[in-house]
């Protein structure tokens, strides 16, 4: 059955701009929620100081990188220089402390790739994951936050993409789809490669901040207040970018050969990363290079089943933005198995 479809012109989605913008607005956490997050962090700090006076607690992930939507869990990192006791013992001790302080559903997940303690604070209703000494996560959190300050279209695009990914259930790493972190990197890379570019490549510029974490050198230009007009020559609207983002991942990305790399601001080849073969469980069916841990492919969780699901969802999204009469609703329709 052939349906007559009319191709939208590049401006065809413009009339939906206000709808997508109000979706973005509705996802931004309220002031009240941010106050509650800070309250919780403060009370956790007090608990931790009692046991480990020199330890620090830092927020990371979406509550600190400015890509957090409302009602998210918060991610906290305990930074501690205690070599007498192992990381796992620290986690177990931490779980004890939290348990005896009225925090609920305390669980130590010691066997996860990144071991954490999970818990829920009954006072604020906020859930929280705490990891130990994950300093790379703190650095990549700052990198994402710095990118977000350069051009406001990044946050708008990433919020909508994350909302789409959650609605369509393709934001579940344990099911072989991608993390929120991976989606934000995809958005950054996409804006780095627009013509003219909307975002620079901060790691390709003269480094103004530099830290070494477990032998990994993390360096980039972080004076982002100097880059406020970087993307001004590009006039693309959020709806045009959204269309082009999904169009790229549905129909243009070369899944066989290409790796997207925020570190270089370019596409690099699987060949040069030696990501052409399956090694163990890493399949490299969609390749997203971590900006600092460059041997780490954020697409490695994707398997031969979930790659199909992902690509079908990219196509669905691209087609909705191309043809659908109510794209700002249809795009986010929940996936029902
Ligand atoms: N992270 C990482 N490497 C990964 C996944 C995550 O370093 N493979 C770190 C990043 O610092 C990221 C944080 O863990 O910001 C949290 O990851 P994730 O839960 O994917 O993203 P959030 O931004 O917290 O998204 P959400 O709003 O869905 O919680
Ligand atoms: Mg998170």
């Amino acid at each position: 059955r052939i349906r007559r479809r009319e191709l939208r012109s590049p401006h065809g989605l413009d009339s939906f701009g206000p709808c997508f913008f109000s979706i973005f607005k509705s996802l931004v956490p309220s002031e009240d929620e941010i106050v509650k997050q800070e309250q919780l962090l403060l009370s956790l700090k007090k608990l931790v100081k009692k046991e480990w006076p020199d330890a620090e607690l830092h927020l990371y992930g979406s509550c600190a990188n400015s890509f957090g939507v409302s009602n998210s869990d918060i991610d906290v990192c305990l930074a501690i220089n205690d070599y007498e006791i192992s990381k796992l013992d620290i986690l177990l001790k931490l779980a004890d402390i939290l348990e005896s302080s009225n925090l609920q559903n305390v669980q130590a997940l010691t066997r996860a790739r990144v071991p954490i303690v999970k818990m829920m604070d009954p006072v604020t209703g906020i859930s929280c994951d705490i990891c130990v000494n994950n300093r790379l996560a703190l650095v990549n959190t700052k990198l994402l936050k710095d990118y977000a300050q350069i051009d406001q279209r990044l946050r708008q695009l990433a919020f909508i993409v994350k909302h789409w990914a959650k609605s369509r259930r393709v934001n579940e790493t344990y099911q072989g789809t991608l993390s929120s972190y991976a989606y934000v990197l995809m958005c950054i890379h996409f804006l780095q490669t627009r013509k003219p570019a909307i975002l620079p490549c901060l790691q390709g510029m003269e480094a103004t901040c530099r830290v070494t974490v477990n032998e990994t050198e993390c360096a980039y230009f972080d004076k982002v207040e100097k880059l406020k007009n970087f993307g001004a020559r590009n006039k693309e609207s959020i709806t045009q970018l959204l269309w082009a983002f999904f169009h790229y991942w549905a129909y243009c990305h070369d899944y066989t050969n290409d790796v997207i790399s925020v570190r270089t601001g370019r596409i690099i080849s699987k060949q040069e990363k030696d990501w052409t073969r399956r090694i163990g469980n890493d399949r490299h069916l969609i390749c997203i290079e971590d900006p600092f841990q460059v041997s780490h492919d954020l697409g490695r969780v994707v398997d031969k089943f979930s790659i199909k699901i992902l690509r079908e969802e990219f196509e669905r999204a691209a087609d909705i933005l191309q043809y659908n009469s109510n794209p700002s609703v249809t795009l986010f329709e929940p996936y029902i198995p």
Side-chain angles (χ1 to χ4, degrees):
R1 194 160 58 101
I2 299 168
R3 255 197 302 157
R4 199 170 151 258
R5 290 173 148 187
E6 264 172 43
L7 223 64
R8 274 199 174 109
S9 71
H11 292 288
L13 269 177
D14 283 358
S15 60
F16 296 99
C19 303
F20 282 108
F21 190 72
S22 65
I23 290 170
F24 162 71
K25 282 298 222 190
S26 71
L27 295 168
V28 175
S30 65
E31 201 51 50
D32 182 47
E33 192 178 337
I34 292 165
V35 170
K36 281 186 178 159
Q37 290 178 351
E38 280 163 5
Q39 266 172 12
L40 173 57
L41 184 68
L42 210 63
S43 59
L44 291 175
K45 278 181 175 168
K46 282 188 194 145
L47 291 177
V48 163
K49 286 274 175 208
K50 263 194 231 159
E51 178 70 31
W52 297 291
D54 300 325
E56 286 173 48
L57 278 186
H58 302 282
L59 287 176
Y60 74 102
S62 64
C63 55
N65 64 19
S66 78
F67 293 98
V69 303
S70 52
N71 303 316
S72 308
D73 299 354
I74 65 172
D75 299 301
V76 177
C77 175
L78 173 66
I80 186 167
N81 285 321
D82 193 338
Y83 298 103
E84 304 284 288
I85 107 171
S86 77
K87 216 167 169 173
L88 289 187
D89 288 335
I90 295 173
L91 272 183
L92 293 173
K93 178 92 209 162
L94 181 63
D96 273 349
I97 296 170
L98 299 172
E99 188 110 68
S100 50
S101 316
N102 278 331
L103 291 153
Q104 288 176 357
N105 309 338
V106 177
Q107 255 184 306
L109 307 184
T110 50
R111 281 195 289 219
R113 190 181 64 82
V114 177
I116 53 170
V117 178
K118 289 178 102 51
M119 53 113 203
M120 204 278 283
D121 170 35
V123 180
T124 56
I126 297 174
S127 296
C128 174
D129 292 349
I130 308 180
C131 66
V132 178
N133 288 348
N134 189 355
R135 285 162 60 218
L136 270 174
L138 298 179
V139 185
N140 67 36
T141 292
K142 175 167 153 56
L143 181 73
L144 266 45
K145 185 179 177 200
D146 286 337
Y147 269 115
Q149 288 178 37
I150 300 170
D151 194 295
Q152 56 180 6
R153 287 171 287 186
L154 170 59
R155 248 182 114 220
Q156 296 167 6
L157 178 66
F159 270 62
I160 293 172
V161 168
K162 275 178 66 173
H163 183 46
W164 160 83
K166 285 183 207 287
S167 313
R168 301 302 300 171
R169 313 240 328 240
V170 286
N171 178 210
E172 301 177 348
T173 45
Y174 52 91
Q175 301 277 18
T177 55
L178 299 169
S179 65
S180 298
Y181 178 57
Y183 282 112
V184 175
L185 291 173
M186 287 157 78
C187 292
I188 294 174
H189 185 263
F190 173 74
L191 298 183
Q192 285 175 325
T193 51
R194 297 311 289 163
K195 295 205 166 52
I198 294 180
L199 291 178
C201 171
L202 295 176
Q203 289 169 274
M205 299 166 66
E206 182 203 350
T208 51
C209 83
R210 204 181 280 279
V211 277
T212 305
V213 181
N214 320 328
E215 280 131 55
T216 304
E217 152 108 327
C218 307
Y220 68 95
F221 182 80
D222 76 339
K223 304 272 173 272
V224 285
E225 61 290 347
K226 301 206 170 117
L227 299 171
K228 285 277 183 231
N229 287 319
F230 183 90
R233 281 204 307 133
N234 182 312
K235 306 282 186 224
E236 286 174 295
S237 66
I238 180 64
T239 49
Q240 287 166 13
L241 292 168
L242 199 57
W243 177 92
F245 177 85
F246 284 116
H247 188 78
Y248 172 77
W249 285 101
Y251 302 116
C252 305
H253 180 71
D254 182 347
Y255 287 83
T256 313
N257 298 304
D258 288 356
V259 176
I260 64 154
S261 161
V262 165
R263 172 181 62 97
T264 59
R266 284 181 290 129
I267 299 273
I268 56 183
S269 71
K270 284 195 195 181
Q271 203 84 44
E272 72 186 84
K273 305 230 34 136
D274 201 16
W275 283 354
T276 50
R277 292 160 292 130
R278 171 172 172 180
I279 298 176
N281 269 335
D282 294 4
R283 294 171 179 85
H284 307 300
L285 299 174
I286 173 173
C287 294
I288 303 157
E289 180 191 61
D290 186 88
F292 298 120
Q293 234 178 335
V294 298
S295 62
H296 191 169
D297 175 8
L298 294 159
R300 69 182 178 182
V301 289
V302 176
D303 60 34
K304 65 179 175 188
F305 301 107
S306 57
I307 187 69
K308 202 163 158 271
I309 293 170
L310 259 180
R311 293 185 63 171
E312 280 168 10
E313 286 297 334
F314 289 138
E315 285 169 29
R316 173 186 177 275
D319 292 353
I320 286 168
L321 295 172
Q322 186 69 57
Y323 303 108
N324 195 271
S325 56
N326 205 359
S328 59
V329 175
T330 318
L331 188 64
F332 309 106
E333 265 169 12
Y335 171 78
I336 298 162

